[in-house]
Amino acid sequence: MSRIAVVTFPGTLDDQDAARAVRLAGGTPVSLWHKDHSLKDADAVILPGGFSYGDYLRCGAIARFAPVMDEVVAAAKAGMPVLGICNGFQVLCEAHLLPGALVCNHHQKFICRDQELEVVNTDTAWTGKYQQGQRITVPLKNGEGCFVADAETVRQLEDEGRVVFRYRGLNPNGSVNDIAGICNEGGNVVGLMPHPEHAVEDGFGPQSRERSHAGVDGLGMFTSVLEFLMGTA
């Protein structure tokens, strides 16, 4: 059974939710502490949401220098699947595993809502179970979720198909081109601002009268990586 590590930094909030998502998908969650110097034989890594180190300097800026991140960066560059959710996305950008940055929402307010997304890229380690163009609904909660990058970087992301998710219905934070998630060139590293780990169990995630199982729209990210790992074993 594939082992998916979930990293906990001081201030992490959603590590147990991410571990539960891995378990519900059929994987084995492995807990990592920010001071660890080993990934404990993990096959993939999740950097979950929260406020690592209180976001006192800049979101993800201190967590990027945690000892465990040396191992995560090296593994990601070697092809290991890595997922950054919300604060984890910010950490991935600070660690230069993904381009761009996440800054304060354009309305300067924290937002918490169910958010519709379009799955733009299914050719990543974390999105293979979705259909291109599929609309999913997952919770979103952030105060600094606005994705920004210089014009050349945005053009490159778009031209290379590295936009993974796009906000639909409403752009909640002002992200350029409605970008909600991106990936690296290899497609093994994905970062997104919304929270798929909060939509993995019917009856506990966002519900919809039009779709009987809208509450599990986020589960596909976790089953996708397990399928990806089985294919590369």
Side-chain angles (χ1 to χ4, degrees), residues 2-181:
S2 295
R3 293 166 56 85
I4 313 297
V6 179
V7 179
T8 300
F9 301 99
T12 295
L13 301 179
D14 298 307
D15 45 351
Q16 294 304 309
D17 301 85
R20 179 173 175 77
V22 169
R23 194 175 298 111
L24 288 171
T28 300
V30 178
S31 296
L32 291 182
W33 182 233
H34 67 112
K35 291 185 178 181
D36 285 339
H37 292 273
S38 166
L39 298 184
K40 300 182 181 179
D41 297 319
D43 302 300
V45 175
I46 297 173
L47 305 181
F51 303 90
S52 58
Y53 296 90
D55 287 346
Y56 291 126
L57 175 60
R58 188 175 63 248
C59 296
I62 301 177
R64 177 264 177 274
F65 292 103
V68 74
M69 285 303 298
D70 290 337
E71 305 299 325
V72 172
V73 170
K77 290 181 176 179
M80 177 179 285
V82 176
L83 175 66
I85 303 170
C86 197
N87 188 229
F89 186 8
Q90 295 162 340
V91 175
L92 291 178
C93 290
E94 290 288 340
H96 304 299
L97 287 174
L98 292 175
L102 286 306
V103 300
C104 288
N105 296 344
H106 67 105
H107 44 62
Q108 301 293 306
K109 296 179 181 179
F110 187 91
I111 187 169
C112 182
R113 68 187 305 271
D114 292 341
Q115 178 65 49
E116 185 179 39
L117 304 175
E118 177 186 355
V119 182
V120 182
N121 182 354
T122 60
D123 192 24
T124 80
W126 299 90
T127 56
K129 296 287 283 185
Y130 294 109
Q131 299 295 316
Q132 187 172 4
Q134 182 177 346
R135 300 292 181 96
I136 64 174
T137 301
V138 299
L140 175 142
K141 49 178 183 173
N142 62 70
E144 297 178 82
C146 178
F147 177 77
V148 297
D150 63 83
E152 176 58 25
T153 297
V154 173
R155 183 199 62 77
Q156 188 175 22
L157 287 171
E158 296 284 4
D159 291 350
E160 295 178 0
R162 290 167 55 193
V163 175
V164 180
F165 297 100
R166 223 182 282 276
Y167 295 117
R168 289 300 182 227
L170 169 73
N171 183 328
N173 46 40
S175 292
V176 62
N177 289 13
D178 300 327
I179 291 173

